[in-house]
Amino acid sequence: MPQTDKQICIPPELPELLKQFTKAAIRTQPTDLIQWAADYFGAMSRGEIPPVRERSERIPLSNWAELTPELLKILHSRVAGRLIIHADELAQMWKVLSLPTDLFNSVMNVGRFTEEIEWLKFLALACSSLGVTIAKTLKIVCEVLSSEHDGGPPRIPFSTFQFLYTYIAEVDGEISASHVSRMLNYIEQEVIGPDGLIKVNDFTQNPRVRLE
């Protein structure tokens, strides 16, 4: 009879790989472990960041977390500077943070997004679900996008602000293009400094800036 009890060689990296996977699963607490495991190892094989909840992300006590600027900031860090992100990948990131599926679908529908999503547009619409007014929405977007770590006021490039304001006003449909143009021209000429950055106070506390 042929010999069947051949020695099985265990790859030396397997124990550490399984250890990291187990820790990631415990930290993330996925609702569908099998699907999450497939997504985890799929991301690893492609050299991408796996869908793991960071230590700083608190696990919600309920099934769904309430959307907050802090969670959007985490989501933005996961996108890692990309302008375009695939819908399936973004949906998985959203799911890992336990954010409501119906809200994700609503943003997708309002933005008429398909497989490839312009991240800043998606972010703007997600922020609009938190901001009652356009000014409030833009304030939240600035807070999410700002990389200030010294306690200074949130600020972003004026070019980014210009893109976001124009898009949000277009989706809103109640603000004329001429009004948007006047506000942007005034901000660019009278408010923005030589660094090309706009602060939240520049459009929330300036009486001459009326975004809506």
Side-chain angles (χ1 to χ4, degrees):
M1 286 181 78
Q3 187 80 11
T4 57
D5 56 345
K6 295 182 179 179
Q7 183 177 4
I8 299 176
C9 294
I10 299 177
E13 65 272 17
L14 181 60
E16 180 62 24
L17 182 64
L18 293 178
K19 177 182 177 182
Q20 294 302 322
F21 168 76
T22 302
K23 289 170 62 177
I26 293 173
R27 185 185 307 163
T28 303
Q29 296 289 302
T31 55
D32 186 339
L33 180 60
I34 294 177
Q35 180 59 53
W36 179 83
D39 294 335
Y40 178 92
F41 287 112
M44 293 283 286
S45 67
R46 295 189 297 270
E48 301 172 356
I49 300 175
V52 180
R53 190 187 303 275
E54 300 297 334
R55 293 182 183 275
S56 60
E57 301 167 30
R58 297 182 179 180
I59 299 174
L61 298 178
S62 60
N63 289 333
W64 297 112
E66 181 180 354
L67 184 65
T68 64
E70 291 74 24
L71 287 175
L72 284 174
K73 199 171 185 70
I74 291 171
L75 197 62
H76 179 62
S77 69
R78 295 278 179 89
V79 174
R82 285 175 287 174
L83 298 179
I84 303 294
I85 184 169
H86 197 277
D88 290 342
E89 183 182 359
L90 183 56
Q92 180 59 31
M93 293 179 181
W94 190 272
K95 183 178 179 182
V96 165
L97 293 176
S98 299
L99 293 170
T101 303
D102 58 348
L103 178 55
F104 179 85
N105 293 334
S106 176
V107 174
M108 290 290 290
N109 289 333
V110 171
R112 299 179 181 178
F113 300 119
T114 53
E115 286 84 4
E116 293 189 338
I117 299 172
E118 288 187 65
W119 167 241
L120 287 182
K121 289 185 176 181
F122 184 96
L123 177 61
L125 294 182
C127 288
S128 71
S129 70
L130 302 174
V132 178
T133 64
I134 288 182
K136 176 66 174 177
T137 296
L138 287 167
K139 176 179 181 293
I140 296 172
V141 176
C142 284
E143 292 171 349
V144 172
L145 293 178
S146 177
S147 58
E148 297 294 322
H149 301 294
D150 58 357
R155 52 184 186 168
I156 62 173
F158 174 71
S159 58
T160 302
F161 177 87
Q162 184 177 31
F163 173 82
L164 292 168
Y165 178 37
T166 302
Y167 176 68
I168 293 172
E170 179 182 328
V171 173
D172 180 82
E174 296 185 1
I175 304 173
S176 68
S178 60
H179 178 81
V180 172
S181 180
R182 283 198 307 273
M183 288 298 99
L184 289 174
N185 286 336
Y186 172 77
I187 293 173
E188 184 175 22
Q189 295 174 16
E190 304 294 336
V191 178
I192 301 302
D195 58 4
L197 300 175
I198 183 170
K199 302 187 297 295
V200 168
N201 290 349
D202 291 336
F203 61 88
T204 59
Q205 297 186 13
N206 188 326
R208 295 191 60 183
V209 177
R210 300 173 55 219
L211 301 181
E212 51 199 321

